[in-house]
Amino acid sequence: MRCFVLAALLAASSGAGAEAPRQISKPDLQHANGLGEAYRTCLQDSLGERYIGSDAADPMKLSREIENGCEPQLLPVRRFLAAQGYAEAVVHSVLIEIKAKADGAAIAAVHRLPRYRF
């Protein structure tokens, strides 16, 4: 009986020592960025249509609506990173990075649009 209890305690302590990775590997980051491409495309399409098609009286409200509408496009990224066993802080950090890059790309795409749409 003591051996069983000792084995259970040993197994529990070895499992507790295993932590989720705190840094993302380059291949996983590249794959996550590839999965985030759908989010970037959604932002570009939505921002271009909404910005050009309206007077954009409240840009913060407009950007919040667009970001919330495109948020489901990041679910594959979150699922992939969680399946790889990364800590929640790492997943959150990667999602922020993908969002920041996508925001910049979307704004650049809007600036490249023609002034008037025919």
Side-chain angles (χ1 to χ4, degrees):
M1 184 67 153
R2 284 185 181 176
C3 290
F4 179 70
V5 172
L6 185 58
L9 289 173
L10 185 60
S13 67
S14 67
E19 290 186 19
R22 296 255 175 227
Q23 291 184 352
I24 189 166
S25 68
K26 287 190 180 202
D28 286 348
L29 181 59
Q30 288 176 339
H31 188 70
N33 282 325
L35 291 172
E37 188 64 35
Y39 178 78
R40 181 175 305 140
T41 301
C42 178
L43 279 183
Q44 287 178 356
D45 293 346
S46 300
L47 184 62
E49 290 172 9
R50 300 277 303 274
Y51 185 75
I52 299 297
S54 70
D55 60 350
D58 186 358
M60 295 304 288
K61 180 180 176 193
L62 177 66
S63 64
R64 188 171 39 253
E65 289 173 0
I66 291 171
E67 186 173 324
N68 288 340
C70 293
E71 190 80 25
Q73 302 297 328
L74 289 174
L75 287 177
V77 177
R78 182 178 292 280
R79 285 187 201 125
F80 168 72
L81 294 174
Q84 298 301 317
Y86 287 105
E88 182 58 33
V90 173
V91 173
H92 183 72
S93 174
V94 170
L95 290 175
I96 295 290
E97 184 178 325
I98 288 172
K99 283 182 176 184
K101 288 178 183 176
D103 288 347
I107 291 169
V110 168
H111 285 295
R112 286 191 297 269
L113 289 174
R115 264 288 194 232
Y116 303 102
R117 290 174 54 174
F118 298 105

PDB file of all heavy atoms in Angstrom, residues 4-34:
ATOM      1  N   PHE A   4       2.167   2.030  -3.402  1.00  0.00           N
ATOM      2  CA  PHE A   4       1.153   2.609  -4.282  1.00  0.00           C
ATOM      3  C   PHE A   4       1.010   4.111  -4.027  1.00  0.00           C
ATOM      4  O   PHE A   4       0.974   4.912  -4.952  1.00  0.00           O
ATOM      5  CB  PHE A   4      -0.193   1.902  -4.077  1.00  0.00           C
ATOM      6  CG  PHE A   4      -1.289   2.466  -4.929  1.00  0.00           C
ATOM      7  CD1 PHE A   4      -1.280   2.282  -6.304  1.00  0.00           C
ATOM      8  CD2 PHE A   4      -2.321   3.196  -4.372  1.00  0.00           C
ATOM      9  CE1 PHE A   4      -2.277   2.808  -7.097  1.00  0.00           C
ATOM     10  CE2 PHE A   4      -3.315   3.731  -5.154  1.00  0.00           C
ATOM     11  CZ  PHE A   4      -3.309   3.535  -6.530  1.00  0.00           C
ATOM     12  N   VAL A   5       0.948   4.496  -2.759  1.00  0.00           N
ATOM     13  CA  VAL A   5       0.836   5.907  -2.397  1.00  0.00           C
ATOM     14  C   VAL A   5       2.086   6.665  -2.822  1.00  0.00           C
ATOM     15  O   VAL A   5       2.009   7.774  -3.367  1.00  0.00           O
ATOM     16  CB  VAL A   5       0.572   6.060  -0.882  1.00  0.00           C
ATOM     17  CG1 VAL A   5       0.645   7.518  -0.458  1.00  0.00           C
ATOM     18  CG2 VAL A   5      -0.775   5.460  -0.513  1.00  0.00           C
ATOM     19  N   LEU A   6       3.249   6.076  -2.596  1.00  0.00           N
ATOM     20  CA  LEU A   6       4.505   6.712  -2.985  1.00  0.00           C
ATOM     21  C   LEU A   6       4.585   6.882  -4.498  1.00  0.00           C
ATOM     22  O   LEU A   6       4.998   7.939  -4.989  1.00  0.00           O
ATOM     23  CB  LEU A   6       5.686   5.881  -2.470  1.00  0.00           C
ATOM     24  CG  LEU A   6       7.078   6.472  -2.682  1.00  0.00           C
ATOM     25  CD1 LEU A   6       7.188   7.840  -2.028  1.00  0.00           C
ATOM     26  CD2 LEU A   6       8.136   5.543  -2.137  1.00  0.00           C
ATOM     27  N   ALA A   7       4.156   5.878  -5.248  1.00  0.00           N
ATOM     28  CA  ALA A   7       4.167   5.963  -6.706  1.00  0.00           C
ATOM     29  C   ALA A   7       3.204   7.051  -7.189  1.00  0.00           C
ATOM     30  O   ALA A   7       3.515   7.800  -8.127  1.00  0.00           O
ATOM     31  CB  ALA A   7       3.798   4.618  -7.319  1.00  0.00           C
ATOM     32  N   ALA A   8       2.048   7.165  -6.544  1.00  0.00           N
ATOM     33  CA  ALA A   8       1.073   8.190  -6.919  1.00  0.00           C
ATOM     34  C   ALA A   8       1.630   9.584  -6.639  1.00  0.00           C
ATOM     35  O   ALA A   8       1.477  10.507  -7.451  1.00  0.00           O
ATOM     36  CB  ALA A   8      -0.233   7.979  -6.181  1.00  0.00           C
ATOM     37  N   LEU A   9       2.266   9.759  -5.497  1.00  0.00           N
ATOM     38  CA  LEU A   9       2.866  11.055  -5.171  1.00  0.00           C
ATOM     39  C   LEU A   9       4.000  11.406  -6.129  1.00  0.00           C
ATOM     40  O   LEU A   9       4.149  12.560  -6.545  1.00  0.00           O
ATOM     41  CB  LEU A   9       3.368  11.066  -3.732  1.00  0.00           C
ATOM     42  CG  LEU A   9       2.305  11.094  -2.641  1.00  0.00           C
ATOM     43  CD1 LEU A   9       2.949  10.927  -1.270  1.00  0.00           C
ATOM     44  CD2 LEU A   9       1.526  12.388  -2.719  1.00  0.00           C
ATOM     45  N   LEU A  10       4.809  10.430  -6.484  1.00  0.00           N
ATOM     46  CA  LEU A  10       5.907  10.655  -7.414  1.00  0.00           C
ATOM     47  C   LEU A  10       5.389  11.043  -8.789  1.00  0.00           C
ATOM     48  O   LEU A  10       5.907  11.974  -9.418  1.00  0.00           O
ATOM     49  CB  LEU A  10       6.791   9.411  -7.501  1.00  0.00           C
ATOM     50  CG  LEU A  10       8.048   9.531  -8.348  1.00  0.00           C
ATOM     51  CD1 LEU A  10       8.949  10.630  -7.801  1.00  0.00           C
ATOM     52  CD2 LEU A  10       8.783   8.219  -8.390  1.00  0.00           C
ATOM     53  N   ALA A  11       4.344  10.367  -9.234  1.00  0.00           N
ATOM     54  CA  ALA A  11       3.753  10.688 -10.532  1.00  0.00           C
ATOM     55  C   ALA A  11       3.148  12.081 -10.525  1.00  0.00           C
ATOM     56  O   ALA A  11       3.277  12.835 -11.492  1.00  0.00           O
ATOM     57  CB  ALA A  11       2.700   9.647 -10.900  1.00  0.00           C
ATOM     58  N   ALA A  12       2.489  12.450  -9.440  1.00  0.00           N
ATOM     59  CA  ALA A  12       1.876  13.775  -9.337  1.00  0.00           C
ATOM     60  C   ALA A  12       2.937  14.864  -9.307  1.00  0.00           C
ATOM     61  O   ALA A  12       2.783  15.911  -9.925  1.00  0.00           O
ATOM     62  CB  ALA A  12       1.001  13.854  -8.092  1.00  0.00           C
ATOM     63  N   SER A  13       4.026  14.630  -8.613  1.00  0.00           N
ATOM     64  CA  SER A  13       5.072  15.655  -8.534  1.00  0.00           C
ATOM     65  C   SER A  13       5.813  15.808  -9.856  1.00  0.00           C
ATOM     66  O   SER A  13       6.203  16.905 -10.235  1.00  0.00           O
ATOM     67  CB  SER A  13       6.052  15.343  -7.406  1.00  0.00           C
ATOM     68  OG  SER A  13       6.787  14.178  -7.706  1.00  0.00           O
ATOM     69  N   SER A  14       5.998  14.715 -10.592  1.00  0.00           N
ATOM     70  CA  SER A  14       6.679  14.839 -11.883  1.00  0.00           C
ATOM     71  C   SER A  14       5.781  15.523 -12.901  1.00  0.00           C
ATOM     72  O   SER A  14       6.246  16.266 -13.744  1.00  0.00           O
ATOM     73  CB  SER A  14       7.123  13.470 -12.400  1.00  0.00           C
ATOM     74  OG  SER A  14       5.993  12.678 -12.710  1.00  0.00           O
ATOM     75  N   GLY A  15       4.467  15.304 -12.819  1.00  0.00           N
ATOM     76  CA  GLY A  15       3.530  15.972 -13.723  1.00  0.00           C
ATOM     77  C   GLY A  15       3.409  17.449 -13.417  1.00  0.00           C
ATOM     78  O   GLY A  15       3.205  18.270 -14.297  1.00  0.00           O
ATOM     79  N   ALA A  16       3.533  17.806 -12.143  1.00  0.00           N
ATOM     80  CA  ALA A  16       3.431  19.207 -11.755  1.00  0.00           C
ATOM     81  C   ALA A  16       4.638  19.995 -12.221  1.00  0.00           C
ATOM     82  O   ALA A  16       4.556  21.189 -12.454  1.00  0.00           O
ATOM     83  CB  ALA A  16       3.285  19.315 -10.237  1.00  0.00           C
ATOM     84  N   GLY A  17       5.774  19.339 -12.399  1.00  0.00           N
ATOM     85  CA  GLY A  17       6.977  20.030 -12.828  1.00  0.00           C
ATOM     86  C   GLY A  17       6.973  20.376 -14.306  1.00  0.00           C
ATOM     87  O   GLY A  17       7.710  21.243 -14.749  1.00  0.00           O
ATOM     88  N   ALA A  18       6.152  19.712 -15.064  1.00  0.00           N
ATOM     89  CA  ALA A  18       6.084  19.974 -16.506  1.00  0.00           C
ATOM     90  C   ALA A  18       5.256  21.230 -16.745  1.00  0.00           C
ATOM     91  O   ALA A  18       4.098  21.292 -16.393  1.00  0.00           O
ATOM     92  CB  ALA A  18       5.469  18.789 -17.221  1.00  0.00           C
ATOM     93  N   GLU A  19       5.871  22.225 -17.329  1.00  0.00           N
ATOM     94  CA  GLU A  19       5.190  23.485 -17.601  1.00  0.00           C
ATOM     95  C   GLU A  19       4.991  23.647 -19.098  1.00  0.00           C
ATOM     96  O   GLU A  19       5.701  23.064 -19.904  1.00  0.00           O
ATOM     97  CB  GLU A  19       6.022  24.659 -17.082  1.00  0.00           C
ATOM     98  CG  GLU A  19       6.077  24.763 -15.583  1.00  0.00           C
ATOM     99  CD  GLU A  19       6.799  26.022 -15.142  1.00  0.00           C
ATOM    100  OE1 GLU A  19       6.929  26.950 -15.949  1.00  0.00           O
ATOM    101  OE2 GLU A  19       7.239  26.055 -13.998  1.00  0.00           O
ATOM    102  N   ALA A  20       4.032  24.477 -19.434  1.00  0.00           N
ATOM    103  CA  ALA A  20       3.806  24.807 -20.838  1.00  0.00           C
ATOM    104  C   ALA A  20       4.966  25.672 -21.325  1.00  0.00           C
ATOM    105  O   ALA A  20       5.516  26.474 -20.567  1.00  0.00           O
ATOM    106  CB  ALA A  20       2.492  25.553 -20.989  1.00  0.00           C
ATOM    107  N   PRO A  21       5.359  25.514 -22.588  1.00  0.00           N
ATOM    108  CA  PRO A  21       6.457  26.332 -23.118  1.00  0.00           C
ATOM    109  C   PRO A  21       6.146  27.829 -23.020  1.00  0.00           C
ATOM    110  O   PRO A  21       5.033  28.251 -23.248  1.00  0.00           O
ATOM    111  CB  PRO A  21       6.542  25.898 -24.586  1.00  0.00           C
ATOM    112  CG  PRO A  21       5.868  24.583 -24.663  1.00  0.00           C
ATOM    113  CD  PRO A  21       4.851  24.570 -23.576  1.00  0.00           C
ATOM    114  N   ARG A  22       7.156  28.596 -22.659  1.00  0.00           N
ATOM    115  CA  ARG A  22       6.990  30.044 -22.492  1.00  0.00           C
ATOM    116  C   ARG A  22       7.468  30.829 -23.708  1.00  0.00           C
ATOM    117  O   ARG A  22       7.302  32.034 -23.758  1.00  0.00           O
ATOM    118  CB  ARG A  22       7.739  30.508 -21.255  1.00  0.00           C
ATOM    119  CG  ARG A  22       7.196  29.921 -19.980  1.00  0.00           C
ATOM    120  CD  ARG A  22       6.426  30.971 -19.247  1.00  0.00           C
ATOM    121  NE  ARG A  22       5.795  30.417 -18.070  1.00  0.00           N
ATOM    122  CZ  ARG A  22       4.541  30.650 -17.764  1.00  0.00           C
ATOM    123  NH1 ARG A  22       3.803  31.403 -18.525  1.00  0.00           N
ATOM    124  NH2 ARG A  22       4.020  30.139 -16.682  1.00  0.00           N
ATOM    125  N   GLN A  23       8.088  30.158 -24.668  1.00  0.00           N
ATOM    126  CA  GLN A  23       8.515  30.800 -25.907  1.00  0.00           C
ATOM    127  C   GLN A  23       8.060  29.948 -27.070  1.00  0.00           C
ATOM    128  O   GLN A  23       8.098  28.723 -26.993  1.00  0.00           O
ATOM    129  CB  GLN A  23      10.030  30.963 -25.947  1.00  0.00           C
ATOM    130  CG  GLN A  23      10.550  31.973 -24.959  1.00  0.00           C
ATOM    131  CD  GLN A  23      12.046  32.167 -25.116  1.00  0.00           C
ATOM    132  OE1 GLN A  23      12.709  31.455 -25.852  1.00  0.00           O
ATOM    133  NE2 GLN A  23      12.581  33.150 -24.426  1.00  0.00           N
ATOM    134  N   ILE A  24       7.680  30.594 -28.145  1.00  0.00           N
ATOM    135  CA  ILE A  24       7.180  29.872 -29.300  1.00  0.00           C
ATOM    136  C   ILE A  24       8.338  29.580 -30.251  1.00  0.00           C
ATOM    137  O   ILE A  24       9.230  30.417 -30.434  1.00  0.00           O
ATOM    138  CB  ILE A  24       6.055  30.661 -29.998  1.00  0.00           C
ATOM    139  CG1 ILE A  24       5.388  29.817 -31.069  1.00  0.00           C
ATOM    140  CG2 ILE A  24       6.543  31.980 -30.532  1.00  0.00           C
ATOM    141  CD1 ILE A  24       4.099  30.378 -31.570  1.00  0.00           C
ATOM    142  N   SER A  25       8.313  28.409 -30.837  1.00  0.00           N
ATOM    143  CA  SER A  25       9.363  28.055 -31.795  1.00  0.00           C
ATOM    144  C   SER A  25       9.107  28.763 -33.117  1.00  0.00           C
ATOM    145  O   SER A  25       7.981  29.154 -33.428  1.00  0.00           O
ATOM    146  CB  SER A  25       9.389  26.535 -32.010  1.00  0.00           C
ATOM    147  OG  SER A  25       8.223  26.117 -32.689  1.00  0.00           O
ATOM    148  N   LYS A  26      10.157  28.943 -33.901  1.00  0.00           N
ATOM    149  CA  LYS A  26      10.019  29.641 -35.184  1.00  0.00           C
ATOM    150  C   LYS A  26       9.064  28.930 -36.144  1.00  0.00           C
ATOM    151  O   LYS A  26       8.228  29.590 -36.762  1.00  0.00           O
ATOM    152  CB  LYS A  26      11.383  29.860 -35.829  1.00  0.00           C
ATOM    153  CG  LYS A  26      12.177  30.930 -35.128  1.00  0.00           C
ATOM    154  CD  LYS A  26      13.408  31.306 -35.903  1.00  0.00           C
ATOM    155  CE  LYS A  26      14.132  32.376 -35.107  1.00  0.00           C
ATOM    156  NZ  LYS A  26      15.000  33.174 -35.913  1.00  0.00           N
ATOM    157  N   PRO A  27       9.143  27.599 -36.280  1.00  0.00           N
ATOM    158  CA  PRO A  27       8.186  26.933 -37.177  1.00  0.00           C
ATOM    159  C   PRO A  27       6.734  27.102 -36.725  1.00  0.00           C
ATOM    160  O   PRO A  27       5.847  27.315 -37.551  1.00  0.00           O
ATOM    161  CB  PRO A  27       8.601  25.463 -37.150  1.00  0.00           C
ATOM    162  CG  PRO A  27      10.009  25.453 -36.680  1.00  0.00           C
ATOM    163  CD  PRO A  27      10.149  26.651 -35.791  1.00  0.00           C
ATOM    164  N   ASP A  28       6.510  27.039 -35.422  1.00  0.00           N
ATOM    165  CA  ASP A  28       5.143  27.227 -34.923  1.00  0.00           C
ATOM    166  C   ASP A  28       4.674  28.659 -35.126  1.00  0.00           C
ATOM    167  O   ASP A  28       3.501  28.899 -35.442  1.00  0.00           O
ATOM    168  CB  ASP A  28       5.048  26.844 -33.439  1.00  0.00           C
ATOM    169  CG  ASP A  28       5.088  25.341 -33.222  1.00  0.00           C
ATOM    170  OD1 ASP A  28       4.953  24.588 -34.213  1.00  0.00           O
ATOM    171  OD2 ASP A  28       5.271  24.923 -32.066  1.00  0.00           O
ATOM    172  N   LEU A  29       5.571  29.617 -34.963  1.00  0.00           N
ATOM    173  CA  LEU A  29       5.211  31.019 -35.188  1.00  0.00           C
ATOM    174  C   LEU A  29       4.878  31.251 -36.660  1.00  0.00           C
ATOM    175  O   LEU A  29       3.905  31.948 -36.979  1.00  0.00           O
ATOM    176  CB  LEU A  29       6.346  31.940 -34.741  1.00  0.00           C
ATOM    177  CG  LEU A  29       6.096  33.432 -34.901  1.00  0.00           C
ATOM    178  CD1 LEU A  29       4.872  33.871 -34.107  1.00  0.00           C
ATOM    179  CD2 LEU A  29       7.321  34.227 -34.461  1.00  0.00           C
ATOM    180  N   GLN A  30       5.655  30.661 -37.553  1.00  0.00           N
ATOM    181  CA  GLN A  30       5.369  30.796 -38.976  1.00  0.00           C
ATOM    182  C   GLN A  30       4.023  30.172 -39.320  1.00  0.00           C
ATOM    183  O   GLN A  30       3.246  30.748 -40.089  1.00  0.00           O
ATOM    184  CB  GLN A  30       6.474  30.152 -39.810  1.00  0.00           C
ATOM    185  CG  GLN A  30       7.763  30.938 -39.807  1.00  0.00           C
ATOM    186  CD  GLN A  30       8.875  30.222 -40.557  1.00  0.00           C
ATOM    187  OE1 GLN A  30       8.837  29.016 -40.748  1.00  0.00           O
ATOM    188  NE2 GLN A  30       9.880  30.985 -40.970  1.00  0.00           N
ATOM    189  N   HIS A  31       3.738  29.014 -38.749  1.00  0.00           N
ATOM    190  CA  HIS A  31       2.455  28.365 -39.007  1.00  0.00           C
ATOM    191  C   HIS A  31       1.300  29.200 -38.447  1.00  0.00           C
ATOM    192  O   HIS A  31       0.265  29.362 -39.104  1.00  0.00           O
ATOM    193  CB  HIS A  31       2.443  26.955 -38.411  1.00  0.00           C
ATOM    194  CG  HIS A  31       1.244  26.164 -38.793  1.00  0.00           C
ATOM    195  ND1 HIS A  31       1.031  25.706 -40.064  1.00  0.00           N
ATOM    196  CD2 HIS A  31       0.164  25.778 -38.064  1.00  0.00           C
ATOM    197  CE1 HIS A  31      -0.121  25.055 -40.111  1.00  0.00           C
ATOM    198  NE2 HIS A  31      -0.664  25.091 -38.906  1.00  0.00           N
ATOM    199  N   ALA A  32       1.481  29.763 -37.260  1.00  0.00           N
ATOM    200  CA  ALA A  32       0.456  30.615 -36.659  1.00  0.00           C
ATOM    201  C   ALA A  32       0.212  31.859 -37.510  1.00  0.00           C
ATOM    202  O   ALA A  32      -0.931  32.267 -37.715  1.00  0.00           O
ATOM    203  CB  ALA A  32       0.859  31.011 -35.239  1.00  0.00           C
ATOM    204  N   ASN A  33       1.296  32.448 -38.025  1.00  0.00           N
ATOM    205  CA  ASN A  33       1.138  33.612 -38.905  1.00  0.00           C
ATOM    206  C   ASN A  33       0.388  33.242 -40.185  1.00  0.00           C
ATOM    207  O   ASN A  33      -0.419  34.019 -40.689  1.00  0.00           O
ATOM    208  CB  ASN A  33       2.496  34.226 -39.251  1.00  0.00           C
ATOM    209  CG  ASN A  33       3.045  35.064 -38.125  1.00  0.00           C
ATOM    210  OD1 ASN A  33       2.309  35.720 -37.398  1.00  0.00           O
ATOM    211  ND2 ASN A  33       4.358  35.041 -37.945  1.00  0.00           N
ATOM    212  N   GLY A  34       0.663  32.053 -40.700  1.00  0.00           N
ATOM    213  CA  GLY A  34      -0.064  31.585 -41.880  1.00  0.00           C
ATOM    214  C   GLY A  34      -1.539  31.403 -41.588  1.00  0.00           C
ATOM    215  O   GLY A  34      -2.395  31.767 -42.409  1.00  0.00           O
TER     216      GLY A  34
END
